[in-house]
């Protein structure tokens, strides 16, 4: 056959295993994901119920710090999506933080097990699937459960987050802020719950009440509520979450010797019945990162990607001040190289001001069995850009491991909405054995640093010591001969030191303060959430 007689490409027979030509609409969608730079592969495009493996759906790596949302009904594959994204981030040298609510993410550290479902999924999306485990560290709040203990001091947790945990109202939250202000300015370190209880008790005593008189005071009723909340909190077995050694969030940003990012997995099954606690602790970790990281602007890849699971628990019954702080933290932490993905059931679980900051979206199937479900479905559809799909119909018909995706392109513009059959994770899709988990924890170089709790001298011991002193001079480190005391009838001036001031002024206390790092100016270095950290 001559060249002039060559069959036109449009009618040439397809090679075995090749995909049919894309429809015009599908081609337009696929072109929106044809990125030139490094990207994460999510899966292949779905169009008219057919998977088109040559049309790959991807997220540009530099856009992962523009935040995101992974949503969908229970059982639709959200956890596997997290695992898939975490694996690829780790492979690209980006550290990842994951909260493991149900205990089934620990498998990311072990190679996956090939089976027919995995092979079928890999064929559908043209995935070169290879069983692979990824470097991981396992943590547990307060050491409850399997993992390296994660603790925070009361001082560094801050009044706003603690108010959320203790479920205080606005007035009580403001009073707690006043208590922290006093402790900060007096250099009283609040390490654990008994330190805070000691300061509250002191400030409502006859001796301590004048300390706050000039800045609003602390009512006995409000102090009583705070003390009862602390007692109830401790009775629920939650005292272990506060103390030392405090967790250094810089440990979340490490890479392994082979250059892959370490996946930090916070094991939460042992505390999943305490949602207010673990969701607020996750926010503390994020706020601490925000407080300490320098500005980096737009980087080639994120320094860390933080997955915030069960995000609706964070916002439930939250005060306006708390929500404002979440919004501001999410808005500003991008420039510090941290990407945040909220994971929940529907976008309506996330306040609109926060949702507006989430540029990358992976929406799994939604149910529409009740009027409330149908309302949530319509609200979800409205959060997506205009689409060639009937999204209401599509979102109720997606299968497990399928999702509707839109991300930010390399230029920062939203990509076309793409129904996607997602890739299969290459690590184990399930938990590792508890014995293997414990072995990995004990083998970690961080275990020796955080495993053993430390109870050093802090506000509780200092205030108790002050009550046992007979006079101000007995708390001085330099002995004096019988001092000439002021006449008993002389009025107390504003310059006369209080008992706490005498303790703070003692040589012993100053020596301790120097060993801890300066306490002066601590309050003005508190972050948006009122958290405070020792400088590293």
């Amino acid at each position: 056959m001559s060249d002039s007689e060559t069959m036109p490409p449009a009618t040439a027979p397809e090679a075995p295993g090749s995909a049919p030509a894309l429809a015009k609409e599908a081609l337009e969608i696929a072109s929106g994901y044809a990125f030139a730079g490094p990207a994460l592969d999510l899966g292949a495009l779905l169009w008219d119920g057919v998977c088109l493996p040559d049309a790959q759906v991807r997220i540009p790596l530099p856009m992962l710090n523009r935040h995101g949302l992974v949503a969908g009904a229970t059982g639709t594959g959200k956890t596997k999506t997290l695992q898939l994204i975490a694996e690829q981030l780790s492979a690209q040298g980006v550290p990842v933080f994951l909260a493991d609510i149900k205990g089934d993410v620990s498998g990311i550290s072990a190679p996956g097990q090939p089976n027919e479902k995995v092979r079928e999924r890999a064929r559908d999306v043209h995935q070169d699937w290879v069983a692979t485990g990824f470097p991981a560290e396992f943590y547990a709040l307060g050491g409850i459960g399997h993992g390296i203990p994660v603790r925070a001091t009361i001082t560094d947790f801050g009044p706003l987050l603690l108010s959320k945990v203790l479920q205080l109202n606005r007035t009580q939250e403001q009073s707690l802020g006043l208590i922290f202000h006093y402790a900060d300015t007096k250099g009283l370190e609040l390490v654990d719950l008994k330190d805070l209880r000691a300061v509250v008790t002191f400030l409502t005593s006859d001796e301590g009440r004048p300390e706050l008189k000039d800045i609003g005071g602390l009512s006995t009723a409000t102090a009583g509520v705070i003390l009862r909340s602390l007692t109830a909190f401790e009775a629920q077995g939650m005292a272990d979450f506060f103390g030392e050694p405090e967790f250094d969030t810089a440990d979340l940003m490490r890479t392994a010797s082979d250059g892959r990012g370490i996946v930090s997995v916070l094991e939460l099954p042992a505390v999943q019945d305490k949602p207010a606690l673990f969701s607020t602790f996750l926010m503390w970790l994020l706020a601490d990162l925000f407080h300490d990281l320098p500005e980096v602007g737009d980087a080639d890849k994120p320094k860390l990607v933080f997955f915030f699971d069960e995000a609706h628990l964070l916002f439930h019954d939250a005060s306006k001040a708390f929500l404002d702080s979440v919004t501001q933290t999410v808005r500003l932490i991008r420039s510090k190289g941290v990407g945040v993905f909220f994971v929940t059931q529907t976008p309506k679980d996330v306040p609109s001001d926060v949702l507006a900051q989430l540029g990358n979206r992976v929406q799994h199937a939604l149910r529409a069995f009740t009027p409330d479900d149908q309302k949530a479905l319509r609200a979800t559809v409205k959060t997506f850009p205009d689409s060639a799909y009937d999204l209401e119909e599509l979102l109720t018909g997606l299968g497990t491991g399928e999702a509707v995706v839109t991300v930010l392109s390399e230029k920062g513009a939203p990509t076309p909405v793409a129904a996607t059959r997602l890739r299969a994770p290459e690590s184990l899709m399930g938990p590792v054995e508890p014995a293997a988990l414990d072995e990995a924890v004990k083998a970690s170089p961080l275990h020796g640093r955080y495993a053993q709790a430390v109870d050093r001298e802090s506000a509780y011991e200092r205030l108790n010591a002050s009550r046992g002193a007979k006079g101000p001079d007995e708390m001085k480190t330099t002995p004096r001969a019988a001092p000439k005391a002021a006449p008993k009838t002389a009025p107390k001036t504003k310059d006369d030191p209080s008992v706490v001031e005498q303790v703070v002024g003692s040589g012993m206390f100053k020596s301790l303060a120097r060993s801890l790092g300066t306490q002066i100016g601590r309050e003005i270095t508190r972050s948006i959430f009122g958290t405070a950290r020792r400088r590293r």
Side-chain angles (χ1 to χ4, degrees), residues 311-331:
H312 64 284
L313 299 172
L314 177 70
F315 303 113
H316 180 65
D317 287 339
S319 67
K320 184 180 184 301
F322 185 90
L323 293 177
D324 289 345
S325 296
V326 173
T327 303
Q328 192 171 359
T329 300
V330 172
R331 180 182 296 119

Side-chain angles (χ1 to χ4, degrees), residues 387-529:
S387 167
Y389 298 94
D390 180 343
L391 286 180
E392 282 197 36
E393 181 179 348
L394 177 62
L395 285 173
T396 56
L398 290 170
T400 302
E402 297 176 347
V404 171
V405 174
T406 179
V407 302
L408 293 181
S409 71
E410 292 167 313
K411 296 181 179 179
T415 59
V417 175
T420 307
R421 181 161 294 164
L422 299 169
R423 293 182 167 222
E426 295 183 336
S427 56
L428 182 65
M429 289 189 279
V432 298
E433 293 295 327
L437 191 57
D438 287 338
E439 185 178 342
V441 169
K442 291 177 182 177
S444 168
L446 301 180
H447 185 262
R449 187 188 309 174
Y450 296 116
Q452 187 61 46
V454 176
D455 187 11
R456 64 175 172 84
E457 193 172 32
S458 49
Y460 173 81
E461 289 79 12
R462 289 293 173 180
L463 289 171
N464 277 349
S466 73
R467 294 190 188 100
K470 295 180 181 179
D473 294 295
E474 293 189 16
M475 287 183 285
K476 304 291 184 183
T477 55
T478 305
R480 286 184 183 176
K484 295 182 180 180
K488 292 183 179 180
T489 56
K492 178 178 171 65
T493 69
K494 65 179 180 180
D495 294 324
D496 290 337
S498 69
V499 172
V500 171
E501 288 170 329
Q502 294 159 10
V503 174
V504 172
S506 70
M508 183 183 297
F509 189 89
K510 287 180 179 178
S511 175
L512 176 63
R514 281 192 297 270
S515 70
L516 299 175
T518 179
Q519 304 294 331
I520 298 174
R522 174 184 290 279
E523 186 179 29
I524 62 172
T525 66
R526 285 188 178 273
S527 72
I528 294 170
F529 267 100

Side-chain angles (χ1 to χ4, degrees), residues 224 233 254 290 324 363 375 502 505:
F233 187 77
R254 297 177 299 129
F290 173 80
D324 289 345
Q363 176 68 59
K375 184 178 179 181
Q502 294 159 10

